[in-house]
Amino acid sequence: MASESLATRTIRGTLWTGSAFALQILTTLVFYRVLAIDDMGLFEWSLFIVMLLALLCDLGLGSALVQKREAGDSHFNAAFWVCLVVGAAVTAAVQWNIDAICGLVAGQDASQMAPILAGMMWIVPFAAISGIFRAKLQRDLLWRSMAGAEIASSVAHAASAFGLLALDFGILSAVYSAVVREAVLLIGLALTGRWLPGVAVSRESLKLILGFGLNLTGSRCINYVNSNLARIVIYGALGPAALAYYSFAYRLTLMPLVRISTIITRVFFPTFSAIQQDDALLRRVYVKSTQAVALAYWPALMAVIVFAPQLLAFVFDDPSQALWPMRLLALATLVKAVGASVGSIFLAKGRASWALYWSAFSIIVLVPSLYLVIDPWGLIGVCSVIAATSVLFLGLSQHLANRLIHLPYVTYLASLSRPLLLAGWVGGLSWVGSLWLPAAPW
């Protein structure tokens, strides 16, 4: 297979599997416009906890099934039943102890948070086994089928959200619609994957994939906590309203990148794994794919930086609370975007442990930095730390990836010249245009 063909399939897969995200952003904008800011802060805090538990229950077995090319139906069967049992057990344990858990993680907001967290915990068992069905589609590079399931889940999410809002369910509209989205996604992946698990569970089959999966789970959980350290610090020091303002800015800047990074891993990881022994081909595909992500992402971020006041004015009566956090997070995202596929190189080369070590290093750097700035500078200080450390992290992680595939830094940097020129042109044009537009232009 030619490198151009493989790169084209990779980029097309990213676009296909990411096509549902715009609808989710629209639904989020409606929630923030309609619901109380404190309630949205508690929703975001509950979502952080639930998604961490979902990562734990996944056990990394879906990705292990993609990386281990020799894995067959017996391995898929074992992975499905283990993830289902773990997901159900964790959900039951949290539901049984919901008041104590909310008291521990929410303090004085425990009574308001309890129904939110209890409802959202039903996401966990669905998410735990979705990765197994997704792995079936990933192995065959069936991005269109995967995108169909994700688009259907986004449509179901939006429809249920707007319906529940109309029925005056309040913050539970966000909770129940999130559960609906995960359930519909699971059904869609199962239907398009055309696979159902058998009842037999082989210990030998599980052993083949479990080591890789557990390493990856540790890396993912640490990386997830790492990417959400700001939420932990903000909620503890500034409360749910500040967390909501930060989360909104995050959702329009870093969250799309987090989603795209997840999509990139789903697309690039199996693609890179298929050519993991051919470094020359892997270098060409990696450079072209990274350039394509920058071309798609950098110009949009420049427009967000320029038009941040107008975007925020659509949602908040006082947009000043989120203005500079949004701009600083957009700058951080500009840097992080070009490193989004580094993790796929680590995984494709069988270096899941590298991702784990890297995530641990990031936490060691971020934790003291965030706590040093939260008191004097608040949200702006937190977002400044995120922007500054993103430069450091990109340089180090890219160095490791370049070593693995013998990619010269000059070649890598040269591939980013076109995205940089396009982003500068879009940013300049947006700034000139903003001078002629009214205060809150559609």
Side-chain angles (χ1 to χ4, degrees), residues 201-283:
V201 176
S202 167
R203 182 179 299 180
E204 289 74 19
S205 297
L206 183 61
K207 184 178 179 181
L208 174 69
I209 57 177
L210 193 58
F212 180 94
L214 290 178
N215 264 325
L216 181 58
T217 297
S219 171
R220 281 178 171 174
C221 290
I222 294 175
N223 192 49
Y224 180 74
V225 172
N226 178 22
S227 63
N228 286 277
L229 277 174
R231 293 175 185 267
I232 300 171
V233 174
I234 290 169
Y235 182 81
L238 304 177
L243 177 59
Y245 284 120
Y246 170 83
S247 296
F248 181 83
Y250 182 93
R251 282 180 179 273
L252 292 189
T253 54
L254 277 167
M255 177 58 80
L257 180 62
V258 171
R259 293 293 181 89
I260 289 173
S261 296
T262 303
I263 293 162
I264 285 171
T265 300
R266 292 176 188 169
V267 176
F268 288 12
F269 172 38
T271 304
F272 292 166
S273 293
I275 56 173
Q276 58 187 276
Q277 302 303 324
D278 188 342
D279 281 349
L281 179 57
L282 184 54
R283 282 194 298 272

Side-chain angles (χ1 to χ4, degrees), residues 381-410:
V382 168
C383 296
S384 298
V385 167
I386 294 172
T389 55
S390 65
V391 178
L392 170 66
F393 294 158
L394 174 64
L396 295 176
S397 63
Q398 191 62 55
H399 173 71
L400 294 174
N402 288 356
R403 281 183 56 194
L404 277 178
I405 59 176
H406 309 291
L407 173 65
Y409 236 116
V410 173

Side-chain angles (χ1 to χ4, degrees), residues 181-199:
R181 178 179 62 199
E182 203 64 41
V184 172
L185 175 61
L186 173 60
I187 294 170
L189 292 172
L191 291 176
T192 55
R194 299 180 181 179
W195 172 80
L196 290 175
V199 295

Side-chain angles (χ1 to χ4, degrees), residues 114-349:
I116 298 174
L117 182 59
M120 295 191 69
M121 276 303 301
W122 294 108
I123 291 174
V124 173
F126 294 123
I129 57 176
S130 290
I132 309 304
F133 292 97
R134 186 181 287 113
K136 274 285 184 184
L137 299 172
Q138 285 180 278
R139 281 170 65 98
D140 296 326
L141 306 182
L142 297 176
W143 314 123
R144 186 174 301 185
S145 298
M146 194 187 313
E150 292 179 347
I151 291 171
S153 70
S154 295
V155 170
H157 176 230
S160 59
F162 299 149
L164 291 168
L165 283 172
L167 294 173
D168 200 23
F169 271 71
I171 190 60
L172 293 180
S173 305
V175 173
Y176 296 151
S177 61
V179 177
V180 168
R181 178 179 62 199
E182 203 64 41
V184 172
L185 175 61
L186 173 60
I187 294 170
L189 292 172
L191 291 176
T192 55
R194 299 180 181 179
W195 172 80
L196 290 175
V199 295
V201 176
S202 167
R203 182 179 299 180
E204 289 74 19
S205 297
L206 183 61
K207 184 178 179 181
L208 174 69
I209 57 177
L210 193 58
F212 180 94
L214 290 178
N215 264 325
L216 181 58
T217 297
S219 171
R220 281 178 171 174
C221 290
I222 294 175
N223 192 49
Y224 180 74
V225 172
N226 178 22
S227 63
N228 286 277
L229 277 174
R231 293 175 185 267
I232 300 171
V233 174
I234 290 169
Y235 182 81
L238 304 177
L243 177 59
Y245 284 120
Y246 170 83
S247 296
F248 181 83
Y250 182 93
R251 282 180 179 273
L252 292 189
T253 54
L254 277 167
M255 177 58 80
L257 180 62
V258 171
R259 293 293 181 89
I260 289 173
S261 296
T262 303
I263 293 162
I264 285 171
T265 300
R266 292 176 188 169
V267 176
F268 288 12
F269 172 38
T271 304
F272 292 166
S273 293
I275 56 173
Q276 58 187 276
Q277 302 303 324
D278 188 342
D279 281 349
L281 179 57
L282 184 54
R283 282 194 298 272
R284 292 196 296 272
V285 175
Y286 173 72
V287 167
K288 290 186 177 185
S289 301
T290 301
Q291 183 185 59
V293 171
L295 282 169
Y297 214 82
W298 282 6
L301 282 168
M302 292 303 298
V304 167
I305 291 172
V306 173
F307 290 114
Q310 290 82 5
L311 289 169
L312 292 169
F314 287 136
V315 180
F316 301 116
D317 294 329
D318 179 15
S320 61
Q321 296 277 1
L323 176 58
W324 278 105
M326 175 176 283
R327 282 177 165 166
L328 287 165
L329 291 180
L331 289 172
T333 311
L334 281 169
V335 178
K336 289 175 178 287
V338 294
S341 54
V342 167
S344 298
I345 292 292
F346 291 171
L347 297 179
K349 284 294 191 176

Side-chain angles (χ1 to χ4, degrees), residues 42 46 95 98-99 102 106 109-120:
L42 292 174
S46 299
Q95 296 286 16
I98 193 69
D99 291 333
C102 287
D109 300 314
S111 59
Q112 293 91 341
M113 184 175 170
I116 298 174
L117 182 59
M120 295 191 69

